[in-house]
Amino acid sequence: MFACVTKIIHLEQASLWRAIERKSYNMKNERRLVARAQRDPQQFLALYDFYYPKIYAYTLAQVRHRETAEDVVQQTFSKALDKLKSFKWRRSANFGSWLFRIARNELLDQLKKGQRTQLVGSEQLETEPDERPVALEDLIQVELENEQMKRFQRILFSMKKLNQAEREVIGLKYFSALDYKQIAQVMNKKPNTLAVMLRRALQKIKVDLNV
Amino acid sequence: MNKHQLNPDQQRAKAGLKELGGVLRAENRKQRTELREILQTQAENKPRGSYLASFSWSKVLVPAGSLLAVIVLMVAIAPKSGRVYPTSIGYPEPNTDYAFEETAMTGSAMSAPSTFKRQFIDDLGSNAATDGEVQAYRDEYGDAFEQNLSIDVLAKRQEQFEEISQLFQGSDGYIASFSDHGGNSRSINGHIPVEQLDHFKQGLVGIVGSYKFMTQSSYGYNRVPDLIAIDEKITEVEAAIAELEEKIANEQNLSNREELEQQLAQHQQFLAEREATKDEIEDRVEYVDISLYVNHIPSWWQAGDYHELRQSFAGYTDPSLGQKVLINFIYVVSKLLVLLSYTFWLIIPFLIWRWRRSRERKMFQALD
């Protein structure tokens, strides 16, 4: 009987894995997965697999420093695993927004500690205290075409015109691919406000070099 | 152009950001794997909890609440059953001929005799009269039938109340008693000559508009045996009076004479009472007692419940299929409107909420 139940549980885990891979991961799956992870911490890894790219992309875009981003991501997931049992699923605070809030708080902690992190707001691309310039190649290790590389460079350069909130909402929307409800929960803003911020931010960002 | 659409610059920026986002999300597989191992170790060291799911009250309360709401809705819009009315619906003629014939043949009254007539027929052993006696009396006196009519009428206009009251005078009758129950109903007890009964009923139908808005029940007393008995008694008493008068004329003894005169007086009184009873019965036979109950019924758009709505269309009769469909349609629509008015304060916020959600969705559709 117990063997049957265990087998059923493993089969369900496998189906959840497949759902994640097929990108059919949705709130209903996630809620069940979170409930299981709260009982069995090993199940947390499925949530990790889904959210790692999103958290990493968001953090990297904010700090623009690979090592710092890796530190923040590691701290985020460690804390999430520690606090998972005390997490309560609510309509206004699902797991994704909770995780991103942890990541946000970690980012702020890093700023306070004065790590080698600067959020874009300065006139130039940020540099480390020893004046070593940050190149796109340091952030992105994947082989890219020349045109693509220039486009991305242009985008990152344009993003310094944005204020902190606009950069954050751009990061959550297009780098982490969150939906507007989750972004509203993470940033604690109304969806209308987010829409206005996004439109304004998109207007400021230039993609083409000739523009 | 949809006001939420992005301009070309914004479209390009969005496309670029999405592309960059995809690249960033695919980054750093190395750290991803290493961190996974670290977390796995951490997770293995943590204790496992029970597999029993915590109880969720919402899984019980939401279905129970929905079911309760549906039950309340069903009770609220269920049509109420109508009142039961007496039979003889819509017949213009009282259906008493059969009863009269039957009682005439048996010689017994159709219903229990009233006290006023029986008290003077004290030596009639039973109510029965023979067929021959009844026929003889009919030949002489015609059908002696005391008819009482109870009519319920539905009137849509207040003026009809007055018109109905005046109908008694118009039929050479009179109103014996009258009571007004707050303007929505009226009770009238009156009498009209038997020969005016048809005229009275036609007048009533003309006022209310149709036979379906009246119902009547009639009952009556067969007075033929009563009149036969009284006539017999009168004849007996008259004979006794004649005999006493002769005895008095021939009696010399004063005291005997006085005694005979006392007996004569008693017989004369007895005779007078019998004749008065006979007159009363004949009066009653000549006049129909009508108990009229006029009930005000609203028009269909003013009806307060299913029964009133049904009556406004079909009166006392059973509605036809088309009428039933129409009545039920109007009833359901009115109940929905009532429900809408009760839930109005819910609907407006709900509509506002829906509109906001729809607007948000449209806003973010362009940005996605």
Side-chain angles (χ1 to χ4, degrees), chain A residues 17 39 42 48-49 52-53 56 66 70 82 141-142 148 151 173-175 192 199 203 208, chain B residues 4-5 7 10 12 19 25 27-28 31-32 35-36 44 46 49-50 359 363-364 367-368:
Chain A
W17 269 99
R39 293 189 291 270
Q42 294 273 5
Y48 165 82
D49 288 329
Y52 176 89
Y56 181 75
R66 179 180 286 278
E70 286 173 1
D82 285 339
Q141 290 175 332
V142 173
Q148 214 176 7
R151 204 159 52 242
K173 179 68 187 161
Y174 296 115
F175 297 160
N192 286 356
R199 297 178 86 87
Q203 189 62 40
D208 299 330
Chain B
H4 298 299
Q5 271 186 342
N7 60 39
Q10 288 171 327
R12 273 196 293 275
E19 199 183 352
R25 284 196 297 276
E27 271 294 301
N28 212 344
Q31 197 236 356
R32 184 172 172 170
L35 182 54
R36 197 177 200 280
E44 280 166 5
K46 287 195 180 294
S50 162
R359 198 180 62 161
M363 258 191 306
F364 282 97
L367 292 164
D368 281 341

Side-chain angles (χ1 to χ4, degrees), chain A residues 9 17 36 39-42 44-45 48-49 52-54 56-57 60-61 66 70 73-74 77-78 81-82 85 139-142 144 148 151-152 155-156 159 170 173-177 180-181 191-192 194-195 198-199 202-203 205 207-208, chain B residues 3-7 9-14 16-29 31-36 38-40 42-44 46-54 353 356-357 359-361 363-364 366-368:
Chain A
I9 291 164
W17 269 99
R36 287 191 175 281
R39 293 189 291 270
D40 180 9
Q42 294 273 5
F44 178 76
L45 296 173
Y48 165 82
D49 288 329
Y52 176 89
K54 294 174 185 279
Y56 181 75
L60 190 64
R66 179 180 286 278
E70 286 173 1
V73 169
Q74 183 165 346
F77 281 104
S78 289
L81 182 59
D82 285 339
K85 265 200 174 354
L139 299 180
I140 299 172
Q141 290 175 332
V142 173
L144 296 171
Q148 214 176 7
R151 204 159 52 242
F152 290 164
I155 289 170
L156 290 171
M159 279 180 72
I170 287 283
K173 179 68 187 161
Y174 296 115
F175 297 160
S176 302
Y180 71 92
K181 284 179 192 168
N192 286 356
L194 294 175
L198 272 170
R199 297 178 86 87
L202 286 174
Q203 189 62 40
I205 290 173
V207 179
D208 299 330
Chain B
K3 63 175 183 179
H4 298 299
Q5 271 186 342
L6 301 174
N7 60 39
D9 284 343
Q10 288 171 327
Q11 297 270 10
R12 273 196 293 275
K14 186 179 89 173
L17 284 165
K18 277 178 141 176
E19 199 183 352
L20 178 56
V23 168
L24 290 177
R25 284 196 297 276
E27 271 294 301
N28 212 344
R29 297 255 171 192
Q31 197 236 356
R32 184 172 172 170
T33 314
E34 285 169 3
L35 182 54
R36 197 177 200 280
I38 294 168
L39 290 172
Q40 189 155 14
Q42 263 180 269
E44 280 166 5
K46 287 195 180 294
R48 290 170 72 166
S50 162
Y51 273 91
L52 287 173
S54 59
W353 176 77
R356 276 193 182 151
R357 271 197 70 173
R359 198 180 62 161
E360 272 170 23
R361 220 174 275 138
M363 258 191 306
F364 282 97
L367 292 164
D368 281 341

